[in-house]
Amino acid sequence: MISTRRKTAESVPWGRLSETIARNGCLRERDIYVEDMRNYRLPYFKACLLATILEDVIPQLRILDACNTELRFIKTISAMDVLLADKFGVESQKTQNDINDIDLKNIHCMKYKLDKLQADRDFILQVLTETYKNLCIERDFQSLTDSVTQIVQKDENLHSLAEVERTNRMLRRESHKQLRQQRNHIKSVCYESNSEIEFLRLHVEDAELNAGIRNRYIEGWQRSRTEQHLQTLYNKDEVPTQAIEEFKRKVEQEQRVHSDIELLTTMNINEVLAKVDESMVKYEKDIESIDLKIQIMRNYYETMQNKNQLLEETIKEHAEFMKNWITFKDDREAARKHCEIMNNSAIIVQAWWRGLLVRKQLGPYKTVKKKQTPSKPNDKSKKKK
């Protein structure tokens, strides 16, 4: 049995860990005393037995999950829309909470049941795996107790939510009852107000008809009275209006004659003004031509004046240049003569001095007496000896 368990443990990623713990038990026992004590610690032998049991259970759960082809087939069929969208690259709306994707009208469908079953299996496998880790490493089952307490807390929360839902359901029933009563009251009030409005509308229609008849009678009477008054006024104003029309006709004729005369005078004035404009244009053109000629002569005079000034300046420069050249030649000739005189005098003085040194035998021309050296015997006589 132990060998079979070890073989199954090798298929699980945590089997090798338990074997190393079994081989190095002494070292593990020493390390346990050094570590901090935990609440759910087991003896070493019990922890190893429980770990070996979990080594068998975890592969069985995985095999159960992997070999249930019918469940996978049903899950694939239920999630066919999502799989097709992933296959053909259709973007799906990403939701942060899976509760938003639940359809409350179809809460008992197969998809939700399969998701619940898969989630429960994954949770059990995760809890057993974490427990196996704790047994192999820490020699306790803290993760199992945490999971149990978490489940108990979820149950308590569900019971509290059920109580809250029950109270909310009662409150909703009471609110629906009050809403129905309020709706019935509103309907009765609306029916009474509609009947009153209908009664008032009929009275308003009758009043509108009577008012229309009275308005038409009054308008006809007013029209006849106005026509009568207008006729009397026309009869009284007929003679003065004819005289006024005659005077208007005469005024219009005088105005027409006045406008014709004014038109003729304006035409004559325009002709005179046109001639004046022509003369002014001609005067301006002549003035411009004269100004142009004057400007040309002025420019010619200025250019000639500038030219004469330039010639005078060049003559002055040439005269100054010639004067400077003559002075330069005179200075050069005087310097040459002075140098020639100085050289000749220096030559004379130098010749006199050299003649004096030669005659007096002084300086480099002094006679040097030769020293008398003793005669040396011949080398040939030495050789013969």
Side-chain angles (χ1 to χ4, degrees):
M1 289 295 290
I2 293 169
S3 63
T4 55
R5 286 177 180 175
R6 285 182 179 177
K7 288 179 181 179
T8 55
E10 289 178 357
S11 62
V12 183
W14 309 107
R16 296 178 182 176
L17 186 60
S18 64
E19 287 180 3
T20 55
I21 291 169
R23 291 173 186 173
N24 301 322
C26 297
L27 297 174
R28 189 63 181 168
E29 286 290 331
R30 292 176 185 175
D31 296 332
I32 288 168
Y33 290 108
V34 179
E35 295 178 354
D36 295 333
M37 297 299 293
R38 303 185 66 175
N39 295 327
Y40 302 99
R41 190 175 295 281
L42 293 174
Y44 178 73
F45 181 71
K46 289 182 180 180
C48 291
L49 288 177
L50 185 55
T52 53
I53 292 168
L54 292 177
E55 286 178 3
D56 293 335
V57 173
I58 291 169
Q60 288 176 5
L61 288 173
R62 291 182 177 176
I63 291 166
L64 178 63
D65 189 14
C67 295
N68 196 351
T69 55
E70 184 178 0
L71 182 62
R72 287 191 173 188
F73 181 71
I74 295 169
K75 188 175 179 180
T76 305
I77 291 172
S78 62
M80 186 60 71
D81 296 333
V82 180
L83 294 173
L84 288 173
D86 293 336
K87 180 181 178 181
F88 294 104
V90 178
E91 293 183 358
S92 60
Q93 186 178 3
K94 295 180 180 179
T95 56
Q96 297 179 356
N97 193 0
D98 294 334
I99 298 172
N100 297 326
D101 296 334
I102 295 173
D103 188 6
L104 298 176
K105 295 180 181 179
N106 193 12
I107 197 70
H108 297 290
C109 67
M110 185 59 69
K111 182 178 181 300
Y112 300 150
K113 293 179 181 179
L114 293 174
D115 293 337
K116 182 65 171 61
L117 179 60
Q118 187 65 34
D120 293 338
R121 286 182 178 178
D122 294 337
F123 178 72
I124 292 168
L125 183 61
Q126 183 181 1
V127 170
L128 293 176
T129 307
E130 294 293 333
T131 307
Y132 180 71
K133 287 182 185 178
N134 290 330
L135 288 171
C136 293
I137 298 171
E138 303 292 340
R139 208 181 68 187
D140 60 359
F141 51 95
Q142 182 68 35
S143 61
L144 182 61
T145 55
D146 293 339
S147 301
V148 172
T149 53
Q150 186 178 1
I151 292 168
V152 171
Q153 288 177 0
K154 284 184 179 179
D155 290 335
E156 291 177 356
N157 291 328
L158 288 173
H159 285 298
S160 63
L161 289 172
E163 290 293 333
V164 173
E165 186 180 3
R166 193 179 297 109
T167 55
N168 289 331
R169 192 179 293 112
M170 293 176 65
L171 291 172
R172 186 177 63 182
R173 191 180 296 112
E174 292 293 330
S175 63
H176 278 299
K177 184 177 179 181
Q178 292 177 3
L179 183 63
R180 284 196 300 273
Q181 292 176 359
Q182 190 70 23
R183 190 181 293 117
N184 293 326
H185 177 68
I186 290 169
K187 285 182 179 178
S188 61
V189 172
C190 289
Y191 179 75
E192 292 176 358
S193 61
N194 288 328
S195 63
E196 290 179 359
I197 289 167
E198 187 67 24
F199 179 74
L200 292 172
R201 186 173 62 78
L202 294 173
H203 280 283
V204 168
E205 289 179 355
D206 295 336
E208 286 180 354
L209 293 172
N210 293 326
I213 293 167
R214 290 174 182 175
N215 287 327
R216 285 195 295 273
Y217 176 75
I218 291 167
E219 286 176 358
W221 181 77
Q222 287 179 353
R223 193 182 303 112
S224 62
R225 289 292 293 172
T226 52
E227 288 177 355
Q228 184 179 2
H229 288 302
L230 289 173
Q231 187 65 33
T232 53
L233 291 172
Y234 179 74
N235 291 328
K236 288 181 180 180
D237 294 337
E238 185 176 3
V239 177
T241 52
Q242 289 179 358
I244 290 167
E245 289 294 333
E246 185 67 24
F247 287 122
K248 282 182 180 180
R249 195 179 302 110
K250 290 180 180 180
V251 170
E252 287 177 357
Q253 289 177 359
E254 290 178 358
Q255 189 70 29
R256 193 178 298 112
V257 172
H258 179 72
S259 62
D260 292 336
I261 293 167
E262 187 177 2
L263 180 62
L264 291 172
T265 53
T266 52
M267 289 173 67
N268 293 325
I269 291 167
N270 290 327
E271 288 177 357
V272 173
L273 290 173
K275 291 179 180 179
V276 170
D277 291 333
E278 289 178 359
S279 62
M280 289 296 292
V281 169
K282 186 177 179 182
Y283 173 75
E284 288 177 357
K285 287 181 179 180
D286 295 336
I287 292 297
E288 287 177 358
S289 62
I290 291 166
D291 290 335
L292 182 61
K293 289 179 181 180
I294 292 167
Q295 188 68 30
I296 290 168
M297 295 298 291
R298 184 183 296 167
N299 292 330
Y300 179 73
Y301 174 75
E302 288 178 356
T303 52
M304 292 300 292
Q305 190 176 3
N306 292 327
K307 191 174 180 180
N308 292 327
Q309 189 174 0
L310 289 172
L311 290 172
E312 288 177 357
E313 290 177 357
T314 52
I315 289 166
K316 287 180 182 180
E317 289 177 358
H318 283 297
E320 187 176 0
F321 179 74
M322 292 301 293
K323 185 178 181 181
N324 292 329
W325 175 250
I326 290 166
T327 55
F328 173 73
K329 285 199 300 182
D330 293 339
D331 293 338
R332 186 177 63 181
E333 186 65 22
R336 188 184 64 79
K337 287 180 180 180
H338 178 72
C339 289
E340 187 178 359
I341 292 167
M342 293 300 289
N343 287 327
N344 293 327
S345 61
I347 290 167
I348 292 167
V349 172
Q350 189 175 8
W352 173 79
W353 178 251
R354 285 179 181 176
L356 182 63
L357 291 175
V358 171
R359 285 191 299 274
K360 297 292 184 179
Q361 293 182 355
L362 298 172
Y365 303 103
K366 186 178 181 180
T367 58
V368 180
K369 294 180 180 181
K370 294 182 180 181
K371 292 181 182 182
Q372 294 180 0
T373 58
S375 62
K376 293 181 181 181
N378 293 327
D379 294 334
K380 292 181 181 181
S381 61
K382 288 181 182 181
K383 289 179 181 180
K384 288 178 181 181
K385 290 178 180 181

